[in-house]
Amino acid sequence: MKPRHVLFALAALGVASISHAAVSPVLVIHGGAGVIKRDMTPAREKAVRAAMTRALQDGHARLEAGKSALDAVTAALTVLEDDPNFNAGKGAVFTHDGRNELDAAIMDGYTLRAGAVAGVRRIKNPIVLARAVMDRTPHVMLSGDGAEAFAQSIGMRLVDPSYFRTGERWQQLQKALQEDAAKQPHADVETARHFGTVGAVALDAQGHLAAGTSTGGMTDKRWGRIGDSPLIGAGTYANSGCAVSGTGWGEFYIRTVAAHEICMKVTQMRVPLKRAAAEVINQEIPAMGGNGGAIALDADGHISIPFNTDGMYRGWIGGDGVPHVALYGDEDDGTAELPQPAPAESIAQP
Ligand code: ASP
């Protein structure tokens, strides 16, 4: 019997749902972790919440239309890259030399295909280029001029590097440079150095997961520094049972291979998502001196958003299509009330 006929036969028996499990789509996003205090201007807070909400709605609309988790992640991150309030695309932080060098990655949990770009300077939406690397090249990561040459070869228009510049990010660099010169890192700048990256994880109606992350990296970065965001396994990872996007001090996410570590705990060791994510974000990374947060999603739609910083821009949207957005550490993001797998699923302690 041809596969199509098998499906018809199963449908007749009322069990066709086994090939299209009735999964309620979920999308989770972040806009970076760091010192987030209630001293933001009301206008800024409103703009951030509006952008997060729009990103959730755009991504969710894709999922509702039956599009893939990859499409939802790409759509949500494009909205955030275009918004100057985030450290990705327009509004990215500056390097020591006063440039914007952007990193992004995307991964398809179903096929384990991945695409990434690092150190690009003229790509308006790095997440779209990362997706093209995955879909249209035999490679996983392209960097710098080569990545831009590839973008041109597929008809992507390059933008002038001045497109990414915002006055606020420029001032952050000036402050960091002064403190570099005085060799006295200032707490505010130190934390501003790792804040504003954007990420998304999604579960589509087919039950497939995807993850993506986009960033300008860290203010005052030097010598072509590349962080965790575009590194598959460090800041971005998805497989058939777990998807993660991280944000924080990238060097620590690289050294702990944070996103992969969380997913391996979930899919190989059967640790419940929430515990797996907390072990890495709230224990392993701070124990090494790093900080940050992550968004994590499993194949049953469980969400976990741990962070060890004051706050984290975060949001999610589920089957009912209601967007939830939270910025501050003590703000209820609604995930605590969501069902989580029973602790009994966790591995037995020796
Ligand atoms: N993880 C990013 C990096 O190190 C920065 C961030 O998430 O804020 O490049």
Side-chain angles (χ1 to χ4, degrees):
M1 207 186 279
K2 290 184 181 163
R4 202 156 50 109
H5 296 158
V6 174
L7 275 182
F8 285 148
L10 287 172
L13 291 169
V15 290
S17 59
I18 60 165
S19 62
H20 293 284
V23 175
S24 189
V26 183
L27 172 66
V28 189
I29 62 172
H30 71 73
V35 174
I36 301 171
K37 294 205 166 80
R38 286 190 160 79
D39 56 6
M40 238 184 285
T41 64
R44 188 191 176 98
E45 179 171 337
K46 203 170 157 202
V48 169
R49 289 186 192 275
M52 302 276 293
T53 302
R54 218 168 42 247
L56 287 169
Q57 287 169 335
D58 271 32
H60 186 256
R62 303 294 197 290
L63 295 172
E64 281 298 300
K67 296 253 167 66
S68 67
L70 282 170
D71 289 337
V73 164
T74 310
L77 293 185
T78 301
V79 170
L80 299 176
E81 285 179 339
D82 290 346
D83 191 294
N85 288 298
F86 302 89
N87 172 20
K90 187 167 182 64
V93 299
F94 283 93
T95 66
H96 185 77
D97 300 327
R99 296 198 274 212
N100 301 111
E101 293 180 352
L102 312 171
D103 302 334
I106 192 161
M107 184 159 190
D108 180 5
Y110 182 53
T111 60
L112 298 184
R113 290 182 313 137
V117 293
V120 293
R121 299 190 188 125
R122 292 183 296 165
I123 304 298
K124 180 171 173 282
N125 291 110
I127 195 68
V128 174
L129 185 58
R131 176 88 188 262
V133 171
M134 179 180 85
D135 288 340
R136 302 173 71 169
T137 81
H139 306 304
V140 168
M141 179 184 267
L142 303 182
S143 68
D145 293 344
E148 292 178 3
F150 165 64
Q152 280 182 296
S153 79
I154 58 169
M156 259 189 188
R157 203 170 49 85
L158 303 188
V159 294
D160 188 87
S162 62
Y163 163 79
F164 301 105
R165 182 192 175 102
T166 62
E168 191 179 337
R169 295 300 190 196
W170 184 252
Q171 287 314 320
Q172 279 176 3
L173 172 64
Q174 302 318 306
K175 229 172 158 186
L177 291 175
Q178 281 164 16
E179 277 147 15
D180 279 353
K183 299 226 173 338
Q184 278 176 345
H186 179 278
D188 287 352
V189 175
E190 195 58 34
T191 44
R193 285 183 194 194
H194 43 272
F195 170 66
T197 292
V198 302
V201 291
L203 174 69
D204 63 29
Q206 306 292 308
H208 300 160
L209 290 157
T213 313
S214 181
T215 188
M218 294 172 84
T219 297
D220 197 21
K221 65 184 182 180
R222 297 177 90 160
W223 305 302
R225 180 264 188 190
I226 291 168
D228 59 309
S229 309
L231 298 183
I232 297 303
T236 307
Y237 190 77
N239 62 20
S240 62
C242 170
V244 172
S245 169
T247 175
W249 195 337
E251 278 67 11
F252 293 89
Y253 284 67
I254 296 172
R255 291 158 65 200
T256 52
V257 204
H260 184 262
E261 174 90 348
I262 293 171
C263 285
M264 285 305 104
K265 285 175 187 276
V266 172
T267 57
Q268 303 301 308
M269 297 166 72
R270 302 277 163 216
V271 177
L273 184 81
K274 204 170 177 176
R275 196 179 109 197
E279 282 176 1
V280 175
I281 302 298
N282 299 127
Q283 292 173 25
E284 290 178 35
I285 287 180
M288 290 171 69
N291 60 5
I295 49 175
L297 184 61
D298 72 16
D300 294 320
H302 298 122
I303 298 170
S304 178
I305 311 183
F307 50 93
N308 55 52
T309 46
D310 279 7
M312 176 165 159
Y313 290 180
R314 56 204 189 277
W316 62 276
I317 188 164
D320 62 3
V322 177
H324 301 259
V325 172
L327 312 184
Y328 305 110
D330 58 5
E331 187 178 348
D332 182 11
D333 59 22
T335 54
E337 297 85 56
L338 294 174
Q340 291 288 331
E345 280 183 36
S346 59
I347 50 164
Q349 297 296 322

